[in-house]
Every structure is written in structure tokens, then in C-alpha cells.
Amino acid sequence: MARIVMKFGGTSVVNIERIEAVADKVKGEVDAGNQVGVVVSAMAGVTNQLVAYVDEISTLYDAREYDVVVSTGEQVTSGLLALALQKRGLDARSCLGWQIPVETDDAHGKARITAIRADRVVEWMEKGKVVVVPGFQGVAPDGRVTTLGRGGSDTSAVALAAAVEADLCDIYTDVSGVYTSDPRIVAKARKLDKITYEEMLEMASVGAKVLQTRSVEMAMKHEVRLQVRSSYSDEPGTLVVGEDEIVEQELVSGITCSRDEAKITLTCVADRPGVAATIFGPLADAAINVDMIVQNVSADGKSTDLTFTVAEADREKAVQTLKAEKSELGFLEILSDSDVVKVSVIGMGMRSHVGVAQKMFSALADKGINIQVISTSEIKVSVLIEEEYTELALRALHHAYGLDAK
Ligand code: ASP
Ligand code: MG
């Protein structure tokens, strides 16, 4: 017997037929003798529709009312699933965010969970009652409804799992697990049996959007064992766990790419102390996140080029922000380019093995792919390359690190 939290994403509850299928899955776990808590998303597409309604009335909306509206999608699915479970003879009930309560701060639209008072839920679970909790929603200190930011139901599920001290938090979705690379691009990508929290965080931050990043951070902090799995099959998915649970650590676990990148270059920037601070200050003030940076050594000791990347959506704003400061910053030209992609190699093995980056550089060189910018972290090496080489680069790297399926 185990205590588990099962979370179902929007595509898993997209219509009544799928909700009935979810109910069968939940019943399966109860029949197997497990204590079960369930967290549900809104039916796929519903949250977008609710956001659109709000936008239609006012783009300068009151975020507290935005939350009242967009939190409702999850309320609908929690009630429907409770009904489907009752139809199967289970003792089930919904329990909304404010009823548990899932306490959050008052940052409406992107609230953070501060505490979950789960005593009552635990009591119910011990008595065999199935509690169905709508994800994505909570309650602010003043009692008003909050939401956790798009994709927030993953975080609700992990928080509930932590609060009830669940043995496992199963995240049911429309993919069967976490893959070594995007299977739509790399045909030989494999499903991973296990991956560490750290690797999963890096994967999420560079484009593999299976889980909301915050949910992985929370799982890591509270040591909640996660499993990403398909709601369409009974096959085991990918376990996201602590390093100690992984016996044979692979050197590299994943190759990812992010197309949401823009490269900005300032030419002939003065090569003197304080220049980087003057450039990146205004960008930070404009809430633009700068990712990779490369500054060339100046040939003449006086001026140099500075290149960095921002999210595609911030490109225009970044260019305008810097242009406005041109006299202050004293560069010659500002160039920007969106035909770039960031390719990353991720693996815990990098901490203890040398030559991982070198292997990446030579695999790309062998294919004649030019590297524009490089950045590294403890368990990740990223390069910026021309977008048209994305597929070629991913496949070459997947092969080079021995990840190809047999
Ligand atoms: N329904 C919300 C969204 O679409 C939360 C979630 O599904 O995780 O963002
Ligand atoms: Mg999601």
C-alpha cells in the first residue's frame, strides 16, 4: 500500500470520455489498496478561453478578478471527476483551493504557495476517500482566490504530495515520459527511466516543457518523487528523483533545443571597466532577462563587440531600450538576429567527467556547424547556432553521446 497523488493535465481531461478514463485509472489505484489524492487541470483549451474573455473586457484588468475567472476551469473538472468516481462506487469528493486551504501569497496571476493545511485531506485519504483537488488555484491571506501562473497545476500536485507526504506523485500527461531529446526531431530518442531533479530543471529551462519549472524546484526541495507518464497507457513513465536513487548515472541524459532565442550584438563598445554594467543595467530595469553573453577581446585595446541573447519576445524591447541609451553607451551599431537556436547538452555526469564540452564542439565541427555563443553551468553546456542546423545538430549530438536507441 502506498499513498499517491495523481495529477491529470488538460489533454487527459479534455472531454467526458477522457474524464471517465481518468476515473478508471484512479479506481485502479484505489482497488490496488493505495490511498489516493487527485489533482486536475482544466479541460485543454478552457483556460485560454477564460483568459481571452478577460482580455476582451479589459486589458488593464484587476488581477484579483482575473483569478476568479481563470481558476474556474479546474473547478469544473474536479467536480466532474468526483462524479465519475462516485459512479464507480468510490467515496469521492472535490475540495477547492480555499477549502483545503492551499495558502498562497497575494501575487494574483502568479501566486506562490506558502502552505497547505492537509490534516483533513490526510484523514480522508486514510479512510479511503478520494479527494479531487483543482490545480492552479489557492487562496490569498485576505481570503481572495489566487492562481499560480500558467501550467501551475503541476505545482499544485507537487505541493499536495509534499503536504500529505505521498510516496509518489504521478503526473499524467500526453507524452509517455521524459525523452533524451525531442522525438519529433530525433527519431532515435529514448524514454529515460529516471532523471534527477537537477537535470529535469535544466531540461525545462531550455525548452523541454513537460513540467512547470516551479513544480520541479518544489519537488527537489521537499524530495517528492515524481513520475511523468501517459494517461493513455499503463506503462511506467520517467521517474524524477534525487541523485541517490540513480544507480548508473549516464554521462549525458538529454539534448534539448530552444528556438525562442534572439541574438543581439553591439559593435564597437568601449573596452573599459563598467561598460557591461552600463549595458545590462537598463535591460534589467526593463525586466529583460539576458541569457548567454560573449564579449570579444578588443584588437586595438579600445573597443570590442558584445553579443548576448534574450527571449524572442523581448528582442524588440531590448533593441529599443539600448537605442534609447545610445549616447550613454557609445556603441556603433546594434544588430539583432532571430534565426538562432540554443542547443544544450545536459547531464549530471559532467560534474565528474572532463571532455564533455569538447565532444559537443567537435561533433558540431564535424557537421560544419558554426558556434556563435557558448555558455555553461555545472551540468549543462549550451551553444547558439544558426536555426537551420537545429535538426542536424540534435541528431549529431544524440549520436555522439551514445544516446541513440538501439
Ligand atoms: N489550466 C491552467 C493552465 O492552462 C493550469 C494547468 O493546466 O496547469 O495554465
Ligand atoms: Mg501542463
Side-chain angles (χ1 to χ4, degrees), residues 185 257-263 312 315 337-343 369-370 372 383-394:
I185 302 176
C257 70
S258 158
R259 293 175 203 265
D260 175 31
E261 309 283 327
K263 179 181 75 167
E312 178 70 63
R315 168 185 169 176
D337 178 2
S338 290
D339 295 330
V340 288
V341 61
K342 181 169 76 173
V343 173
I369 300 171
N370 188 40
Q372 305 180 9
V383 297
L384 196 74
I385 62 170
E386 223 177 293
E387 184 154 18
E388 80 175 273
Y389 296 118
T390 311
E391 284 81 10
L392 184 61
L394 286 181

Side-chain angles (χ1 to χ4, degrees), residues 291-330:
D291 180 23
M292 312 169 90
I293 303 177
V294 57
Q295 182 180 353
N296 301 328
V297 179
S298 55
D300 56 4
K302 287 190 200 113
S303 67
T304 175
D305 292 351
L306 188 99
T307 298
F308 58 90
T309 63
V310 295
E312 178 70 63
D314 285 337
R315 168 185 169 176
E316 217 18 68
K317 195 167 154 204
V319 169
Q320 293 314 326
T321 304
L322 294 173
K323 273 192 179 153
E325 307 275 337
K326 187 165 195 277
S327 55
E328 176 78 9
L329 304 175

Side-chain angles (χ1 to χ4, degrees), residues 155-171:
T155 303
S156 306
V158 173
L160 184 69
V164 304
E165 295 176 9
D167 300 298
L168 183 65
C169 180
D170 271 327
I171 307 276

Side-chain angles (χ1 to χ4, degrees), residues 7 9-10 41-42 47-48 70 74 135-136 149-154:
K7 184 261 170 178
S41 284
T47 309
N48 286 345
V70 305
E74 272 73 8
F136 188 47
R150 299 306 304 271
S153 313
D154 293 336

Side-chain angles (χ1 to χ4, degrees), residues 2 11 223 241 282 322 398:
T11 50
E223 295 182 13
V241 291
L322 294 173
H398 201 265

Side-chain angles (χ1 to χ4, degrees), residues 337-367:
D337 178 2
S338 290
D339 295 330
V340 288
V341 61
K342 181 169 76 173
V343 173
S344 306
V345 167
I346 295 155
M348 297 296 276
M350 276 179 218
R351 293 194 305 200
S352 44
H353 291 81
V354 293
V356 176
Q358 173 51 31
K359 188 177 270 216
M360 180 180 203
F361 304 150
S362 45
L364 295 174
D366 285 348
K367 298 288 179 197

Side-chain angles (χ1 to χ4, degrees), residues 62-124:
D62 174 349
R64 292 163 300 189
E65 301 305 345
Y66 165 94
D67 279 350
V68 168
V69 177
V70 305
S71 62
T72 57
E74 272 73 8
Q75 175 164 339
V76 171
T77 40
S78 65
L80 290 173
L81 181 58
L83 289 171
L85 292 169
Q86 288 171 2
K87 187 163 88 179
R88 284 160 178 76
L90 297 180
D91 179 12
R93 68 157 285 176
S94 63
C95 198
L96 305 183
W98 60 270
Q99 293 172 319
I100 291 182
V102 176
E103 294 175 1
T104 71
D105 59 19
D106 63 0
H108 286 272
K110 49 176 190 311
R112 281 182 173 267
I113 297 176
T114 48
I116 293 189
R117 313 226 168 266
D119 315 3
R120 210 162 44 130
V121 176
V122 169
E123 231 171 81
W124 286 335

